[in-house]
Amino acid sequence: MLLYTYDDCAILSPISTDPPSQLFERHEHVIKPIRLDPSTGSQKKPIPTNKFYENLMLDNGQDPIWSLPYGLRWEQGQNDDFCGFSVSHVDDDKKVFGPDPTQNPVRFYYSLYVPNIVFSAKELGSNHELKLSDMSEFSLTINLFPHGYTGSYISFPISRGMSFITAEYKDLTPFFYSESEFIKIESSRKIVNGYTKWKILLKDDSVWLLYAKGKLTLKIKSLHQLEATSGQYSGIIQVTKVPAGNREAEVVFDNHAGTYPIGAELQASADGSYAFNWKVGGDKSKSLLIYSLPHHRESFANALLQTTIELSTPTKGKAIAYIGNTWLFIEPNLPTDIEFLPKNFHSRLSSIDKRTQILEQAKKDLELDFNKEALTDSTYFSGKRLSKFALLCLVLNEGLDEPNLSAICVNKLKKTMNTYTQNRQQAKLAYDTTWKGIVCINGFMKDADADFGNTWYNDHHYHYGYLIYAAAILRHLDEEWGKRNENWVYDLIRDVANPSAEDSHFPVFRTFDWFNGHSWAKGIFSSMDGKDEESTSEDVNFYYATKLWSIASNRPSLTKLMDLILAILSRSLRNYFLIENDNKNHPKRFIKNKVTGILFENKIDYITYFCSDIECIHGIQMLPITPITPYTRNKNFVTQEWKQKLGPIINSVNNTWKSILYANYATIDPEAAYQFFLNNRDTPLDDGLSRTWALFWSSIAGCDDSLLDDLV
């Protein structure tokens, strides 16, 4: 399981352990987690909703999961054939590109799931059961129970980055299937550390190693079947793929056979360091062999032994195996100086003309009907508009030094926000007692897609990030309002980013994935390509908004945690989502897209869920434009994206996305962006962007460039 260690600043301490506010009605969810092992107490704890293994507890459980670099899938089989649990790995040269694979860039690529090896048993029929237990951030245990064989099972300890797929057999006769076809199996005469080794050649030319401790003999029964001829077996069997052409890999695998990770302890410190302390299963005398991702390797801070073992991942570049039980990381460029407004913005806002123009626009925006604009039937769209008005108040108060106008703005905004903090809005929120989270009640009364699937735990970091951002600015400008409403805000924060298992009312880190370095937006929807993330900028916005709330609330430990997560996010976004010309983690024929569109665990598709236009695909990776934007979207990337993708189409864009593209453009050409917003008043604005903020941001963009020069 994943454990959490508090450092001296306690940045992983609970935000609160109190029950959620009674403002939120209690509801049981219409969707229940299934296949949880009741004997382990898994159903009594908060159940994760956005983790890599979610597919197994939803619907028929047949969609794959990705531990990386491997894919895994439950095979229920038909007519007692092809039953068990499979492992799949696809090399880069076998990935599928489309829709026209000859294009550069292609629109999408993915790995076709092929069950290379299926762990099974002669006693395992299609009526067997699968049970899940020990679910945590990095790991879980999967158990297969054959019908009618009490006490017999196959147990799989599944962990992120595992180099061996490990199965513990208890009183069953091992049997293996392969869709790829068994061509040859060689038994090694050498017993490796008490283990017998077999080398398996499949028809797709891949080579796999199988290790077993104890009496076990194997023979090929048919092209798709490999059986044990030594009877029932109790013990460990491990399988791993040998990278093509790597002669050294087999020796490394031999030396580490019998050991495997069974979870990790996460440590985190206020100085930007954090660690995964892997827990060792099996032979504890050996060090673990675990696959790393590219962003891990950039920030490793301890002396791990790198091997030559390298396998491709579906969407995260190359996984390289390292030897060591502790991974220590350091993020040296924490965004500690990025708060409500850039530190040196006054040096840019020196033009009297610009100040006058911004003030005139602010007065117009102040006349808008906040209630009419912001109180919609959508948590997401209401949040965007509330944060827009909060930024208007902030500009009036601190940007333009207009306290009287700011007071009017704050009072108007408080009245509108109070509708939410009192839970009187159209899309009311409720506390789900099944999965333990704050959800939109509309989904219970309408359908799963209500409010973008919020009730099914889609996009919570997107939706609540905007509400928290508005609340943070309000508390910054009106401390008493913030104190009166802090429990409401903390409940939203805990729903998404509860940092401690001591808080039993929410899962720990619902959306953020510490191994992948970013969040997943998909909730309790089964998906053949796994979890996905579309809007990286709204991912960032949640943690930035929570940081601002923690500053306004004087919660330094929470501030430090958000700084760390933002730094990890910035690194992972640069590696996987925001694609510079020299990116090594995506195929060359995809790089010209510049952004991923929707990144799944197994697929990347240059599109959005709502639109296929270029401005939408790129704009959703930008909004909202705030002081944290240049930290995650550096000048080099923005320049390349503009020259290669956005500049050529900008004059043909005549919708609200044009305002987002130009607000982003302020990172590299603030004057051009300012003139656009000043002189093109007929161009519609995004509903989360006011012209006041667009002008103000364009006038000060780049004022803290010195802080961002080293963010690589």
Side-chain angles (χ1 to χ4, degrees):
M1 61 183 298
L2 181 67
L3 303 176
Y4 296 86
T5 299
Y6 305 162
D7 68 341
D8 56 353
C9 197
I11 73 171
L12 293 174
S13 59
I15 295 169
S16 172
T17 58
D18 294 335
S21 169
Q22 290 300 317
L23 282 170
F24 304 117
E25 294 179 9
R26 270 49 177 173
H27 283 262
E28 281 192 24
H29 208 285
V30 295
I31 298 294
K32 304 292 192 294
I34 50 180
R35 305 182 191 93
L36 302 186
D37 189 341
S39 67
T40 63
S42 298
Q43 293 169 312
K44 297 179 181 179
K45 301 175 182 178
I47 303 168
T49 56
N50 297 57
K51 298 305 179 186
F52 74 98
Y53 43 75
E54 212 72 38
N55 279 341
L56 292 170
M57 65 178 79
L58 299 170
D59 298 339
N60 63 15
Q62 297 290 286
D63 285 322
I65 65 172
W66 280 268
S67 63
L68 299 183
Y70 294 110
L72 307 162
R73 189 171 72 187
W74 181 31
E75 307 290 350
Q76 270 189 293
Q78 293 181 352
N79 300 320
D80 296 335
D81 194 25
F82 227 85
C83 304
F85 202 71
S86 68
V87 55
S88 177
H89 181 266
V90 177
D91 291 320
D92 284 337
D93 62 352
K94 292 183 173 64
K95 287 179 175 174
V96 178
F97 295 85
D100 180 355
T102 65
Q103 285 186 331
N104 188 358
V106 291
R107 199 197 83 195
F108 62 76
Y109 70 89
Y110 64 91
S111 297
L112 183 65
Y113 191 96
V114 177
N116 299 122
I117 303 287
V118 182
F119 290 83
S120 188
K122 285 187 177 180
E123 299 85 351
L124 203 70
S126 56
N127 59 350
H128 71 277
E129 284 190 287
L130 178 145
K131 295 294 182 183
L132 308 174
S133 61
D134 306 321
M135 295 171 295
S136 65
E137 175 75 19
F138 283 20
S139 60
L140 80 158
T141 301
I142 298 169
N143 298 295
L144 301 184
F145 298 98
H147 181 72
Y149 291 84
T150 304
S152 299
Y153 59 82
I154 314 175
S155 182
F156 300 88
I158 304 300
S159 174
R160 289 294 208 182
M162 60 185 184
S163 55
F164 297 94
I165 297 86
T166 301
E168 178 189 353
Y169 280 75
K170 180 69 167 65
D171 296 332
L172 292 173
T173 308
F175 202 91
F176 302 90
Y177 299 94
S178 176
E179 192 172 300
S180 306
E181 298 186 9
F182 295 106
I183 299 300
K184 185 179 180 181
I185 178 170
E186 297 177 354
S187 175
S188 172
R189 294 181 180 179
K190 179 183 178 183
I191 304 299
V192 181
N193 298 321
Y195 282 77
T196 306
K197 180 179 69 175
W198 287 264
K199 184 180 291 186
I200 301 171
L201 175 64
L202 300 181
K203 189 176 181 180
D204 63 4
D205 294 327
S206 64
V207 177
W208 297 73
L209 302 177
L210 185 151
Y211 297 87
K213 192 169 188 177
K215 184 181 178 182
L216 182 68
T217 56
L218 298 171
K219 75 170 186 178
I220 295 177
K221 184 179 181 181
S222 70
L223 288 176
H224 298 282
Q225 297 176 326
L226 178 67
E227 67 175 349
T229 58
S230 47
Q232 289 192 342
Y233 174 84
S234 293
I236 295 295
I237 296 178
Q238 293 183 301
V239 165
T240 190
K241 182 179 179 179
V242 180
N246 189 328
R247 296 182 178 180
E248 302 173 13
E250 193 169 340
V251 174
V252 178
F253 287 130
D254 288 352
N255 291 335
H256 293 274
T259 188
Y260 48 90
I262 55 173
E265 176 188 49
L266 173 67
Q267 292 180 315
S269 299
D271 63 358
S273 63
Y274 65 107
F276 303 157
N277 292 321
W278 300 98
K279 298 183 68 178
V280 183
D283 188 346
K284 294 180 173 56
S285 68
K286 303 176 184 179
S287 295
L288 292 167
L289 181 68
I290 302 177
Y291 281 105
S292 64
L293 298 180
H295 79 282
H296 295 147
R297 301 191 288 273
E298 286 184 353
S299 54
F300 274 146
N302 59 330
L304 293 169
L305 181 58
Q306 179 179 338
T307 72
T308 61
I309 299 173
E310 181 180 290
L311 287 178
S312 60
T313 68
T315 60
K316 295 285 171 65
K318 298 295 185 181
I320 297 177
Y322 278 72
I323 298 170
N325 296 350
T326 297
W327 287 6
L328 178 63
F329 307 90
I330 185 69
E331 289 295 346
N333 296 304
L334 300 173
T336 52
D337 290 329
I338 302 176
E339 297 186 359
F340 288 90
L341 290 175
K343 293 286 186 183
N344 303 316
F345 77 87
H346 290 289
S347 65
R348 282 293 181 97
L349 193 60
S350 56
S351 166
I352 296 176
D353 287 344
K354 285 185 177 180
R355 187 189 182 284
T356 300
Q357 291 161 353
I358 296 169
L359 179 57
E360 288 177 356
Q361 182 61 50
K363 290 177 179 178
K364 294 178 182 177
D365 289 341
L366 188 56
E367 295 175 358
L368 295 173
D369 187 333
F370 289 15
N371 280 359
K372 184 177 180 180
E373 282 214 20
L375 298 182
T376 74
D377 61 355
S378 164
T379 305
Y380 175 72
F381 288 117
S382 292
K384 286 183 67 178
R385 297 167 190 185
L386 288 166
S387 65
K388 170 180 70 175
F389 290 127
L391 279 170
L392 172 63
C393 299
L394 184 66
V395 170
L396 285 167
N397 189 75
E398 297 187 359
L400 300 175
D401 193 21
E402 292 285 343
N404 293 333
L405 292 177
S406 174
I408 295 171
C409 185
V410 166
N411 286 332
K412 288 183 67 173
L413 182 57
K414 284 193 298 185
K415 291 177 181 178
T416 306
M417 278 290 290
N418 286 345
T419 302
Y420 264 85
T421 60
Q422 295 167 16
N423 208 25
R424 294 185 288 106
Q425 71 277 13
Q426 295 181 58
K428 290 185 178 181
L429 300 178
Y431 179 70
D432 164 27
T433 57
T434 302
W435 299 86
K436 299 189 186 302
I438 306 296
V439 298
C440 176
I441 202 170
N442 285 355
F444 294 134
M445 299 179 290
K446 296 180 181 178
D447 56 53
D449 294 327
D451 211 357
F452 303 98
N454 178 289
T455 315
W456 268 244
Y457 292 96
N458 275 8
D459 303 349
H460 277 206
H461 52 324
Y462 301 165
H463 295 189
Y464 301 156
Y466 284 110
L467 294 174
I468 295 164
Y469 194 12
I473 292 175
L474 264 186
R475 180 158 192 169
H476 178 60
L477 300 178
D478 187 333
E479 185 175 1
E480 289 305 313
W481 181 92
K483 288 180 178 179
R484 287 194 303 272
N485 295 285
E486 64 180 15
N487 289 339
W488 177 82
V489 178
Y490 284 129
D491 284 346
L492 298 184
I493 295 173
R494 293 161 66 195
D495 173 80
V496 175
N498 167 29
S500 172
E502 291 183 22
D503 182 354
S504 62
H505 303 286
F506 299 93
V508 176
F509 292 112
R510 183 185 304 283
T511 60
F512 190 72
D513 184 327
W514 283 87
F515 190 77
N516 277 282
H518 61 83
S519 300
W520 296 112
K522 188 182 293 295
I524 52 175
F525 290 88
S526 188
S527 169
M528 64 183 297
D529 289 309
K531 297 301 181 187
D532 69 72
E533 172 97 322
E534 182 178 58
S535 178
T536 56
S537 50
E538 289 176 311
D539 187 0
V540 169
N541 184 59
F542 174 87
Y543 298 100
Y544 175 55
T546 301
K547 172 184 175 172
L548 296 185
W549 173 265
S550 68
I551 292 172
S553 306
N554 192 28
R555 294 284 295 263
S557 62
L558 187 56
T559 304
K560 295 298 183 183
L561 176 59
M562 294 303 109
D563 277 336
L564 175 59
I565 290 177
L566 285 166
I568 297 170
L569 258 176
S570 179
R571 184 180 298 279
S572 67
L573 299 193
R574 178 172 43 79
N575 271 281
Y576 311 126
F577 293 87
L578 309 179
I579 308 171
E580 296 184 38
N581 295 341
D582 59 354
N583 187 283
K584 299 295 189 294
N585 302 322
H586 293 290
K588 288 183 179 179
R589 49 181 151 165
F590 189 84
I591 287 176
K592 289 182 180 179
N593 287 320
K594 307 314 297 175
V595 298
T596 50
I598 306 173
L599 185 146
F600 297 82
E601 291 180 280
N602 184 55
K603 177 181 180 180
I604 290 181
D605 197 348
Y606 181 70
I607 200 169
T608 74
Y609 277 111
F610 58 89
C611 180
S612 60
D613 295 335
I614 290 177
E615 62 267 27
C616 303
I617 298 169
H618 290 258
I620 198 64
Q621 307 281 356
M622 300 174 184
L623 56 80
I625 306 294
T626 68
I628 198 68
T629 298
Y631 178 74
T632 55
R633 298 176 57 84
N634 66 64
K635 276 189 171 183
N636 191 49
F637 167 73
V638 174
T639 300
Q640 291 179 17
E641 181 188 37
W642 186 267
K643 289 182 177 179
Q644 296 172 36
K645 299 295 291 188
L646 304 181
I649 65 148
I650 192 65
N651 290 333
S652 63
V653 178
N654 295 304
N655 53 42
T656 59
W657 288 103
K658 190 167 191 171
S659 65
I660 295 297
L661 302 188
Y662 262 107
N664 166 76
Y665 188 49
T667 297
I668 56 175
D669 194 341
E671 184 58 29
Y674 185 88
Q675 293 303 322
F676 169 80
F677 287 113
L678 183 66
N679 298 316
N680 293 273
R681 295 180 180 273
D682 292 335
T683 300
L685 300 180
D686 178 76
D687 61 337
L689 178 68
S690 70
R691 195 170 300 275
T692 297
W693 176 252
L695 289 168
F696 181 79
W697 176 249
S698 299
S699 71
I700 67 168
C703 63
D704 276 351
D705 279 352
S706 61
L707 299 175
L708 306 172
D709 288 342
D710 297 326
L711 295 179
V712 296

